[in-house]
Amino acid sequence: ATIQDRAQFDSAYSHHANMMRRSVTGNGNDLEGQSYDYIIVGGGLAGLTVASRLSEVSNVTVAVIEAGGDVYGADQNKFLVPTGNLYDSAVKTQYDWQWQTSSQAGANGRNLDWPRGKVLGGSSAINGLYLVRSNKAEHDSLASLISAPDIWGWDNIFRAMKKSETFVPPTGRVRNVLPDLRYNEASHGSSGPIHHSWPGAAFPTTNDFLQSMANTGTPISDDAYGGSSSGAFVATSAINPQDNWHRSFARNGYLDPAQNRPNLHVLTGHQVTRVLLDSSDPANIRATGVQYAASRGADVKTVNANREVIVSGGSVNTPQILQLSGIGNQQHLASIGVDTVIDLPGVGENLNDHVVTSVAWAPQGNVEMPAQAVTGNAVADSYVNAATGYTTMNTLLGNYTAELVQQARAQMAQADAASDARDEVKRAWNVTREAQLQAVFSEGSAIGAIELLWAYVFGSMQVQVALQHPMSRGYVRATSNDPFTAPEINPNVFGVNFDLALMREGLKLARRVGNAQPLSNSLGNENSPGTNVQADNDFETYARNSVGTEYHPSSTSSMLPREDGGVVDANLMVYGTSNLRVVDASILSSPLSCHLMAPLYGAAEVAAEIIVAHAQGRGYTGSAPPRSDNDSAGQTDGAPGATGGPGSNNGNGSGSGNGTSALARPTTYLGALLAVIIASLLL
Ligand SMILES: Cc1cc2nc3c(=O)[nH]c(=O)nc-3n(C[C@H](O)[C@H](O)[C@H](O)COP(=O)(O)OP(=O)(O)OC[C@H]3O[C@@H](n4cnc5c(N)ncnc54)[C@H](O)[C@@H]3O)c2cc1C
């Protein structure tokens, strides 16, 4: 942390204390023995999105159990102030699970840090705020693997991503500094819970980066949000200019506006230790509730589910929870002393992650840069890095592509044959990698294989290089039947040579971008890897020594057919159960070429629509069900057949929050525009 004077800083942000907040409870007894229609495990990005939407239906009851604490407290500025994500970070604090991978052979044996949010809002509370959308072809490909184009294909996900968004155009000042900041309003949403905008502060070298990308083969995109994210652009950030430039995330976007709903209860500071399953009818295994505890050794409490349990613990924790509940590979479960209820070998497997490293320069002379600290000035502190570019295989490699793909196929076939993984797991690898090879790595594909990010970090200027479609697959496996013992995380970094080769070529391109006009005018010495690194081998050694996570793990509860190693079906129901779903990053069956937050808000919106449709006895056809009675328009349709209802339990949500004003309404686009005009006049 680089805050010089904490008291001065907190007083500059004292207005945060007056915000509208949804109250939550930290008292585990409030839920114990109670019954809720829906129990959501994990109050992160997906969990709070689903909780908010389900509780719009007033005659169902919803409980969320979150292992971490609340964001609103002594440390709230860590989460709310955008620049805080770098200079007052929640990473490596109590708000982070602080996972580490197992030793990674592909990264010279290093154990990589794997932060994940452990706080209300989950990783959406601690992340880098980049909002980038995935590509049409990627979603159509994911949907075809589960034969559900109407639900998971681009059209429905695009609609759902817009549903979650309120787009706020950049200020006049930002437009002046960044003449190449381009967007197409038609691709954005105007009345959703999460605000997408640009920071109030901007720097000329960001525009130079776009120009240098164009000059090295990655053209500037006019519309990165309408189905193709390839090209260079300044990404929107999850920032709300109308609310003091705060971070917009699952807590303040989805939960706080639900503050007056008596049918929604949120418990923090308690970890779900397992899902309780009734397997008396093996053809209809039902989740009857969950157990939870404040810590290892603390009392284990139970809360009952009338209708469904929805697991939203994220890509690391969700498979661990399923495994400890008896759902997973029978052999693995036996090895940790867990009785198998459902032998489902895909649980925890098929893990993939974007990995990242960078080329870094010292700034040239007195080039203008953001403050390398949180300052107490809301506009300055809204600055986050956001310029990016998604580069296709053809730009990266030209006609070398086909040869590399052929080599990759041969290498993977050999490695799979030697692996002792279950056949279903091998099929998951195969179908998802083949889908990637066809959609992303085919000649002329418009999907980014590599992301290049422009970053000012701790006084250095960097072009970061992140692999978007790794072929390597790893796993998450519980190592003990104790839920408070860390699982083994093995992302198998650079397990397939193809991934290393692309990273190497990405690093070369990053150097070319930095050496190209006009960006080169602002860059001094190349500090890393350093100009002595020229040969392929040296680039690869540098990549192995420096690579880390871009924080986008997915696929550990893949939505695939059961025989292809799937864990959930197209309705996100865990195979073999009739009322246990997973909604979080783990359901994506293969990587997406983007930061995951935007598509995950969309996926969680779709999940909530599916669940509401099912509660109403309707099939889900891939569009929003009729509006419900607790939503902002106040229309009613209820959910026939829902059991329980308000008052079916007495967990009354008392506790640490300080809810104040009336139910928030999403701002309209006109309101947004007006606020931005006023803001730019004030600047
Ligand atoms: C440091 C960092 C930077 C990132 N930067 C970006 C970015 O700039 N842009 C972007 O788009 N994405 C970014 N991401 C990724 C993005 O935030 C995640 O992909 C997304 O939040 C995943 O959503 P989720 O719902 O799957 O999991 P999460 O949001 O992580 O939520 C899971 C929740 O479940 C809770 N939980 C887990 N286990 C239990 C249990 N047993 N009992 C109770 N609660 C439990 C966790 O505490 C957590 O709150 C970043 C992530 C990190 C960690």
Side-chain angles (χ1 to χ4, degrees), residues 626-647:
R627 295 182 76 100
S628 48
D629 55 353
N630 250 344
D631 75 9
S632 55
Q635 296 174 2
T636 57
D637 68 0
T643 49

Side-chain angles (χ1 to χ4, degrees), residues 173-182 204 207-208 210-211:
R173 169 180 286 192
V174 168
R175 276 179 215 253
N176 287 341
V177 179
L178 305 176
D180 288 313
L181 188 163
R182 303 176 191 168
N207 208 73
D208 294 347
L210 299 180
Q211 292 283 344

Side-chain angles (χ1 to χ4, degrees), residues 222-243:
D222 290 327
D223 177 14
Y225 292 81
S228 172
S229 67
S230 71
F233 56 98
V234 188
T236 55
S237 295
I239 285 178
N240 187 350
Q242 298 142 330
D243 181 21

Side-chain angles (χ1 to χ4, degrees), residues 68 157 187 202 246 253 260 290 292 308 515 599 639 643 674:
I157 280 286
S187 296
H246 285 162
N260 290 339
V290 304
Y292 60 97
E308 295 192 5
N515 290 342
T643 49
L674 200 63

